């Protein structure tokens, strides 16, 4: 259980991978990856969705035994697929997916995943809390220790994941897309922290998608493409942005083309979605809506900015019909839909990209084609026989997924076998299909690689140009600035500020933090 | 009243022991429907080995051993071999019920039942009136049961081992990221459960009685299973649920005797079941199970297709 | 297709292994094992009336099992088939004896309708508690089983007890012969058509309607289903009702078919066996049908075995247990990945 | 000692069929039967109304089956019947089959299977199987059917032997009433089904003839195989002021007897196998083994006559027997009362026989 102390032996890499290979059935997630990470630096790992980044991270962390090759840490070979050995060797991980059991209290989760040497294995609650009280200071202090993981807001959960990885005094820290769920300020704080760790001699490997973030934090960068190391590790100073994106996308690959979604109507100004003085009840970790007025017209993208947890979720839920507006009116396509069930709203052309793709967007254990076809199940169709053809469903699903370049093997595989970004593509392929009048997109590019991100944004703009209305809820200000025709800021369940392009980053930021009303 | 309490304790003890076994299994993520089979196996083995060796301690040890071995088989079938947890569990129950009855014939050439002199001691015995009745005529296992429940609570809720077990059951990925092999943890949980079922069976055959009778568990394993759910998978909760069912039994017995003007018997017999539904409903109102717990649970129950 | 062939083969193999293990135990205890094997074949297939009897036992298993399939697909662990079966049979009985002079087809129709409604009602109570309050349905449906058995006991020992004869049995009067759809063997063209028709309908519902797909989505992830605009509660209630209706129908078929009267505690295991059948059938309709026939054959064989062998009754329970313990063992393989799939083309 | 003071009113004994009676040796241990059921010590087997001498057929061909609707291992009727079946095997060289059919819906299939296999004689047990045997028997005229505890007389190849066990419990009730000191007598049944309810009512009615203030308490275990519950029921009854319990619950009885031993109460059971226990005063017995043996003989004989025969208290097929051990070693004052009551019981028995005493059959609780 001792952590190898002192700086790594001079000259030798902190982490050395030699010709790693991992296959899942016919998919080669990793192939011949050899990679040396110099000690005491921040290494970024980038690549498209499904390129194998998570798989590589898992191999390092001992969660996935490679089919070929091996991993050395500080010159010593790790037994393959052994989490404890990796941790004993001083490697800690922050996973792309949450890795703490929801019903555990924070203290219990820490004790489970980050137990330090010493401490009795049978404990009293008070004792346990004492053990961990210093660590949680920055995420809410002692009070948070007895909170259950499932009751924590997403960001806090993410911070906790990072915190518990650091708690073990790791010499090598691997973070898989740690920024995906964080607000800009939190990202800055995280990077600051990583730099401090680096300065303290810790070697960091961080999986990122946004090149801006890579530039901000990384010392070196490596690129995975189709399971192979396409570039790096190379000093940031030696690589241009263009070369990096070429390496990610690959020379032969063309940019995704936007999908031509035909919006149902022409471009005449028509209010597609309207909320009039809507209030709703608050939920566990979000304020309810308070007197929200909102209008989305045909041919425009309305952005919703705000620090997460300021009512964005309530807003989307009320529009989707999952929450009932306590007061006020919701109009969809000009007709009152305040009391309409979710299905009714879908029929009027409302499309949704939910916040949490894994729990709300897909059914992880259902086959891909069924996930893709979900929306077609609530459509009302006039037919003599209510019988359908599965083959037709599968074919159509395959077609639409191919159009969105979802990477999959067979339409019958369960959705959980897709990489994170591909799940998002699957959702988009379902929601951005004909019949769309107004789209509510919550964090539509979260977790997407940059090419896909660009693709999604262009698709949203394409939708707008074709006459649809889009409500874009995002925590990425650049995304909002680039795409929104109008921008609202939510704070504490209210819309506290409304902006028109061109935007003043400073003013928007002030509104988000409540500094401006 | 004293009698009702005494009956409650005696009827509850085997239920509580087996429910505690169920809690271990549930926490580790196994929807264990083989409890009944393990229980009857425990009851039989205690009597059989007790008779053969003349020692009740050896009988119980052997029962624990046999039940653990069966549990290991069960683990192997549902784990490495990937069989359906529920069906294999029901199968285990049939194997236990059929196997013990068969063994009774094959080994002892008996049919139906078998007496033994080798029984558990009773710390207090012979009290016939007053509050002393409450604690009288209970085998030592009844006395030990609360300690076992307490120990189970500490192990499950106040130890790293328990954290690992709960994590493995609730969210195997989390367990794996913590360097825990969920499969091994499940084996451990099943072994513990097997031992506890053996005790539950032994209490029935050499604690409350001094014989083994085919099928003598008479559905108690399933009632214990219900107690686990009723008790929200918590060792203390399940123990109280077991007590509740024991109490319902005692009340049922007393009401048979004391209610002279009879409502149709069947309706009286329905009362505990209706009460259980009501209690579960009410309990659900008080504390809605979390989505996550539910999802984990659904995954447990959800077979592949 | 090869996948399902593989499954069938592995199921058969596992059943063989179970038999082997059991016979090993029997052999070690000094029984003649060759008899057991031939007895199983005879008892389920070749002996006089054996095939019929296999089908007779398969019928209730199939009907209740299909209900289980519907419930499980929607994510509800409705194990209340036994109780629903009982109250279905009870209601059919009350109708049939209450209106014993009525025109046979009409009475049978009404009785069946009553059974279906009773079964759904018995299932809807836990169903409502589940979708409305999140009350655990495993527990409530289990409890409803016990209550259903008591309802049957009450009726057969009380108001519906056969008043003629000796009064020594908790059993109802027999229904008029005109009402019956089979003789004592439990198999007739009518019964087979009915059950086959129901199976086809269920298959169409599950595999060829949007509702069938909706059920799967709800079962896999209700949250996602809600986001997709699916009324999860309604789907839940409908599936509960359908499960109960099928079990209730099985009760009616039992009464109008082989039973002709109700006896307290008849077919006490059929509800649980149906759960096994549905799971062994991998929650597909035809798989369930095959599993029902298999378990019907097993039941028939188990009734037959003691006649031709010297096996003691517990050995049969043991055998049944062994089969259940092993029959769902999977030979794991990465099933959904085929070479030459689109993803391969993409990566190549 | 196999002698029985409350003996039957001398039906014709059939020594030919009486199994070798071994007097049970009282074992020193106070545990109830740890040994396999001893053959019936009763020297007088059940009267077979058609007293035909058996003429064993050439061995090897004959197949005889017994289908029981309860499980064996009850130390009671089923075990006795199995013993009778084994006697048939010995005496007639028959190939025997014993089947437990506990699920009523399997009765018909099982009977048909047996007949289809060419079984010569099929015996079935107890009233619940009546419908099945009546439905199946006519389809298989080659097979001769015996219904033990049945009431149907109109089938060509079926002999039904009817018992009136409740009249036996009536006799037990007289004894219980005489011995009772607490004003309460108890009854433990397996499941509250009509025949057991009737047994209980007759038992209490008889006790009340001794003292109209005596009340009865009935309790049911809802299982015939739950001795643990039997123990609690027994304990509750004794604690509730009952001093004598009539038990009628197969394997559940074992728990009731244990409760009696622990609580100092007394039991009247349903099997001679319980007589090892010092708490068992006696039993309402049927001579199952002998009856089956004799009926098989009858079915094989030339003057086979199908139809209904009564074999109840009046015919000597059901009787109250006092535990000889208890008479020898029981508390003196109780033995005295028992001896004093025997005459009265004899009276009741003969009144039942000549019809002057009508024991009510009341299947409702
Ligand atoms: N458990 C698994 N079973 C089958 N295939 C898998 C599994 N895990 C990953 N894959 C496949 O391996 C490939 C690499 O996946 P990985 O998760 O490493 O991608 P990634 O680079 O992390 O992508 P993203 O940016 O979307 O998270 C993908 O094609 C994915 O579908
Ligand atoms: N998975 C679950 N499903 C349903 N209810 C649960 C579940 N887990 C816990 N509960 C309920 O929440 C309560 C608290 O649960 P938990 O097991 O975490 O114990 P706790 O409050 O931490 O208690 P303790 O102090 O004993 O550790 C339990 O008593 C139970 O009622
Ligand atoms: Mg990833
Ligand atoms: Mg607590």
């Amino acid at each position: 259980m001792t952590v190898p102390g002192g700086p790594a032996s001079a000259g030798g890499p902190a982490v050395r991978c030699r010709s790693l290979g991992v296959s899942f059935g016919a998919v080669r997630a990793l192939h011949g990856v050899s990679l040396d990470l110099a000690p005491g630096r921040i290494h970024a790992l980038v690549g498209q969705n499904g390129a194998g980044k998570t798989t590589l991270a898992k191999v390092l962390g001992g969660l996935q035994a490679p089919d070929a090759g091996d991993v050395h840490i500080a010159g010593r070979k790790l037994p393959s697929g052994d989490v404890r050995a990796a941790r004993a060797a001083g490697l800690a991980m922050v996973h792309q997916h949450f890795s703490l059991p929801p019903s555990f209290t924070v203290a219990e989760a820490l004790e489970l995943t980050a137990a330090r040497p010493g401490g009795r294995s049978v404990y009293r609650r008070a004792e346990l809390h004492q053990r961990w009280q210093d660590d949680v200071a920055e995420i809410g202090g002692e009070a948070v220790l007895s909170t259950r993981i499932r009751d924590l807001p997403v960001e806090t959960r993410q911070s906790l994941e990072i915190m518990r990885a650091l708690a073990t005094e790791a010499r090598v820290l691997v973070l898989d897309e740690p920024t995906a769920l964080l607000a800009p300020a939190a990202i800055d704080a995280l990077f600051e922290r990583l730099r401090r760790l680096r300065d303290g001699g810790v070697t960091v490997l961080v999986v990122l998608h946004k090149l801006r973030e890579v530039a901000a934090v990384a010392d070196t960068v490596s690129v995975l493409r189709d399971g192979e190391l396409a570039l790096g590790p190379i000093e940031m100073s030696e690589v241009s942005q263009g070369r990096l994106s070429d390496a990610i996308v690959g020379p032969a690959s063309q940019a995704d083309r936007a999908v031509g979604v035909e919006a149902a109507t022409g471009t005449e100004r028509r209010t597609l979605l309207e909320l009039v003085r809507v209030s709703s009840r608050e939920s566990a970790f979000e304020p309810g809506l308070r007197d929200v007025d909102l209008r989305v017209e045909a041919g425009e993208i309305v952005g919703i900015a705000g620090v997460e947890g300021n009512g964005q979720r309530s807003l989307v839920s009320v529009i989707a019909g999952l929450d009932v507006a306590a007061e006020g009116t919701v109009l969809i396509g000009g007709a009152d839909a305040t009391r309409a069930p979710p299905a009714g709203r879908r029929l009027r052309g409302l499309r949704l990209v939910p916040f949490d793709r894994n729990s709300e967007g897909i059914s992880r254990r259902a086959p891909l084609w069924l996930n893709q076809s979900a929306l077609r199940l609530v459509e009302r169709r006039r037919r003599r026989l209510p019988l359908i053809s599965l083959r037709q469903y599968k074919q159509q699903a395959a077609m639409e997924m191919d159009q969105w370049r979802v990477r999959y093997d067979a339409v019958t595989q369960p959705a959980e076998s897709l990489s994170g970004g591909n799940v998002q593509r699957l959702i988009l392929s379902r929601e951005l299909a004909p019949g769309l009048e107004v789209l509510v997109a919550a964090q539509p590019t979260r977790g997407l690689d940059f090419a896909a991100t660009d693709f999604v944004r262009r698709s949203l703009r394409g939708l707008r140009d074709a006459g649809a209305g889009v409500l874009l809820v995002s925590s990425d200000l650049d995304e909002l600035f680039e795409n929104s025709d109008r921008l609202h800021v939510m704070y504490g369940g209210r819309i506290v500020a409304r902006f028109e392009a061109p935007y003043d980053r400073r003013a928007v930021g002030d509104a988000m933090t409540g500094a401006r009303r | 009243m004293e009698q009702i309490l005494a009956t409650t304790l005696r009827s509850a003890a085997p239920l509580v022991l087996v429910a505690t076994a169920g809690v271990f299994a549930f926490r580790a993520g196994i929807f264990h429907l083989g409890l009944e089979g393990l229980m009857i196996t425990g009851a039989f083995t205690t009597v059989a080995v007790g008779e053969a060796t003349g020692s009740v301690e050896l009988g119980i040890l052997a029962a624990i051993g046999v039940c653990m071995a069966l549990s290991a088989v069960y683990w192997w079938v549902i784990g490495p071999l990937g069989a359906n947890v529920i069906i294999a569990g029901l199968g285990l129950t049939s194997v236990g019920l059929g196997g013990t009855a068969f063994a009774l014939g094959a080994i002892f050439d008996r049919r139906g039942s078998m007496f033994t002199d080798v029984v558990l001691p009773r710390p207090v015995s012979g009290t016939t009136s007053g509050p002393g009745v409450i604690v009288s005529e209970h085998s030592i296992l009844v006395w030990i049961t609360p300690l076992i429940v307490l120990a189970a609570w500490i192990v499950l809720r106040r130890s790293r081992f328990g954290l690992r077990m709960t994590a493995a059951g609730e969210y195997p990925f989390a367990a794996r990221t913590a360097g825990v092999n969920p499969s091994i943890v499940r084996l451990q949980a099943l072994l513990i459960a097997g031992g506890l079922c053996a005790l539950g069976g032994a209490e029935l055959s050499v604690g409350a009685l001094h014989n083994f009778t085919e099928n003598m568990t008479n559905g108690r394993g399933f009632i214990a299973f219900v107690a686990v759910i009723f008790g929200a998978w918590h060792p203390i909760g399940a123990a109280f649920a077991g007590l509740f069912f024991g109490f319902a039994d005692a009340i049922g017995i007393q009401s048979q005797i004391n209610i002279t003007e009879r409502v149709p018997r069947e309706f009286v017999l329905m009362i505990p079941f209706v009460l259980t539904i009501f209690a579960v409903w009410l309990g659900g109102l008080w504390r809605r199970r979390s989505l996550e717990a539910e999802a984990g649970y659904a995954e447990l129950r959800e077979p592949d297709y | 297709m090869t996948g399902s062939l593989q499954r069938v083969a592995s199921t058969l193999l596992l059943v063989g292994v179970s038999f082997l293990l059991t016979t090993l135990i029997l052999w070690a205890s000094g029984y003649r094992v060759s008899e057991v094997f031939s007895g199983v074949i005879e008892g389920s297939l070749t002996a006089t009336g054996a095939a019929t009897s296999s089908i007779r036992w398969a019928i209730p298993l199939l009907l209740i099992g299909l209900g289980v399939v519907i419930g499980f697909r929607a994510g509800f662990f409705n194990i209340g088939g036994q109780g629903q079966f009982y109250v279905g049979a009870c209601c059919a009985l009350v109708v049939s004896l209450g209106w014993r002079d009525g025109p046979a087809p009409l009475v049978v129709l009404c009785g069946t309708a009553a059974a279906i409604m009773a079964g759904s009602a018995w299932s809807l109570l836990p169903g409502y508690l589940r979708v409305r309050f999140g009350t655990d349905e495993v527990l409530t449906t289990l409890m409803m089983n016990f209550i259903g058995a008591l309802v049957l006991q009450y009726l057969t020992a009380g108001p519906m007890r056969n008043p003629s004869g000796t009064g020594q049995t908790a059993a109802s009067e027999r229904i008029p012969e005109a009402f019956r759809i089979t003789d004592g063997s439990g198999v007739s063209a009518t019964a087979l058509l009915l059950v086959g028709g129901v199976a086809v309908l269920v298959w169409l519902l599950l595999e060829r309607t949007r509702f069938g797909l909706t059920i799967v989505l709800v079962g896999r992830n209700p949250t996602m289903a809600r986001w997709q605009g699916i009324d999860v509660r309604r789907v839940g209630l409908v599936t509960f009702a359908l499960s109960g209706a099928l079990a209730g129908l099985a009760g009616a078929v039992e009464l109008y078919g082989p039973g002709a009267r109700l006896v307290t505690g008849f077919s006490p295991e059929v509800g649980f066996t149906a759960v096994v059948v549905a799971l062994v059938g991998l929650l597909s309709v035809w798989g369930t049908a095959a599993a029902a026939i298999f378990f019907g054959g097993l039941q028939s064989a188990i009734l037959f075995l003691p006649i031709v062998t010297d096996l003691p009754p517990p050995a049969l329970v043991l055998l049944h247990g062994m089969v259940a313990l092993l029959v769902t063992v999977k030979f794991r393989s990465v099933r959904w990945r085929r070479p030459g799939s689109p993803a391969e083309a993409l990566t190549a | 000692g196999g002698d029985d003071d409350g003996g039957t009113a001398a039906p014709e004994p059939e020594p030919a069929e009486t199994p070798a009676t071994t007097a049970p040796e009282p074992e020193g241990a106070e545990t109830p039967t740890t040994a396999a059921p001893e053959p019936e010590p009763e020297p007088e087997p059940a009267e077979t109304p058609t007293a035909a001498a058996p003429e064993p057929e050439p061995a090897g061909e004959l197949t005889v089956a017994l289908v029981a609707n309860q499980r064996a291992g009850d130390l009671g009727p089923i075990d006795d019947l199995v013993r009778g079946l084994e006697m048939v095997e010995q005496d007639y060289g028959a190939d025997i089959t014993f089947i437990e059919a506990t699920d009523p819906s399997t009765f018909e299939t099982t009977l048909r299977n047996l007949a289809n296999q060419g079984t010569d004689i099929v015996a079935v047990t107890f009233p619940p199987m009546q419908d099945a045997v009546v439905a199946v028997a006519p389809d298989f005229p080659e097979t001769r059917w015996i219904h033990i505890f049945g009431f149907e007389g109109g089938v060509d190849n079926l002999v039904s032997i009817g018992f009136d066990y409740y009249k036996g419990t009536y006799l037990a009730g007289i004894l219980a009433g005489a011995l009772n000191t607490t004003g309460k007598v108890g009854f433990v049944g397996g499941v509250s089904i009509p025949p057991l309810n009737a047994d209980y009512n007759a038992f209490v009615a008889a006790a009340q003839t001794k003292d109209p203030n005596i009340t009865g308490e009935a309790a049911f275990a809802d299982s015939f195989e739950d001795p643990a519950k039997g123990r609690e029921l027994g304990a509750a009854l004794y604690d509730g002021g009952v001093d004598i319990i009539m038990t009628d619950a197969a394997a559940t009885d074992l728990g009731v007897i244990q409760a009696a031993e622990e609580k100092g109460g007394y039991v009247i059971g349903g099997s001679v196998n319980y007589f090892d226990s010092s708490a068992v005063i006696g039993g309402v017995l049927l001579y199952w083994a002998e009856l089956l043996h004799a009926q098989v003989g009858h079915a094989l004989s030339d003057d086979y006559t199908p139809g209904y025969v009564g074999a109840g208290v009046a015919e000597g097929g059901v009787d109250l027997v006092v535990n000889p051990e208890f008479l020898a070693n029981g508390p003196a004052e109780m033995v005295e009362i028992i001896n004093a009551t025997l005459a009265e019981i004899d009276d009741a028995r003969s009144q039942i026989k000549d019809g002057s005493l009508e024991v009510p059959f009341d299947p409702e609780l």
Side-chain angles (χ1 to χ4, degrees), chain D residues 166-178 200-211 214 344 359-360:
Chain D
Y166 66 101
K167 291 180 186 163
T169 62
Y170 184 86
L171 297 183
I174 299 176
L175 186 59
Y200 163 68
N201 287 324
F203 177 68
V204 175
Q208 284 165 345
T209 61
K210 301 296 297 180
D211 175 357
I214 291 181
E344 200 174 328
V359 179

Side-chain angles (χ1 to χ4, degrees), chain A residues 24 27 29 48-55 96 177 209 417 419-421, chain C residues 337:
Chain A
F24 299 104
V27 170
Q48 290 187 42
N49 295 128
K53 305 179 294 293
T54 297
T55 308
Q96 181 171 15
E177 299 195 30
H209 274 307
S417 63
S419 78
Chain C
R337 292 187 183 274

Side-chain angles (χ1 to χ4, degrees), chain A residues 274-317:
Chain A
E274 191 169 6
L275 271 65
V276 185
R277 304 187 64 79
V278 170
S279 301
S280 72
R281 261 179 293 139
E282 64 187 298
S283 64
F285 272 90
E286 275 229 323
L289 300 181
R290 310 232 183 90
D291 275 341
V292 169
D293 282 313
L294 178 74
R295 207 157 34 78
V296 179
E297 295 189 345
E300 70 168 350
I301 296 180
V302 177
I304 300 286
V307 175
E308 243 174 87
N310 274 290
Q312 295 97 317
R313 224 166 221 290
S314 299
L315 177 68
V316 175
S317 295

Side-chain angles (χ1 to χ4, degrees), chain A residues 108 125 148, chain B residues 27 153 157-158 232-234 287 289 293:
Chain A
E108 287 173 339
R125 277 275 157 86
R148 289 182 195 275
Chain B
R27 286 272 172 173
W153 174 73
R157 301 297 311 153
R158 292 293 183 273
W233 316 10
H234 198 279
R287 188 200 319 257
R289 241 201 345 248

Side-chain angles (χ1 to χ4, degrees), chain B residues 77 81-84 86-88 91 94 98 101-102 226 266 273 280-281 285 288 294 297 301-305, chain C residues 26 29 77 129-130 133 135-139 142-143 146 150 153-154 220 279 282 314 321 324-325 328-330:
Chain B
V77 167
L81 293 188
N84 180 287
I86 291 159
I87 299 183
S94 297
F102 178 75
V226 171
E266 290 79 10
F273 303 124
V280 175
W281 169 69
L285 285 191
R288 295 292 294 271
E294 190 133 331
Y297 190 35
R301 306 183 299 171
E302 190 179 2
D304 285 314
Y305 61 96
Chain C
L26 297 180
S29 321
F77 205 93
L129 293 180
R130 176 68 167 81
F133 304 104
T135 312
D136 191 297
E137 77 280 9
V138 177
L139 214 60
L142 197 70
M143 295 296 120
F146 294 129
L150 287 169
Q153 186 177 319
Y154 168 70
R220 291 304 199 192
L279 291 173
L282 299 167
L325 186 63
T328 55
V329 163
K330 277 196 284 280

Side-chain angles (χ1 to χ4, degrees), chain D residues 288-315:
Chain D
W288 304 103
E290 292 71 20
L291 177 88
L292 178 65
H293 185 269
Q295 282 301 330
V296 171
H298 170 63
L300 291 171
S301 71
D302 291 333
D303 40 25
Y304 170 72
T305 39
Y308 170 78
V309 278
V313 170
E315 294 85 5

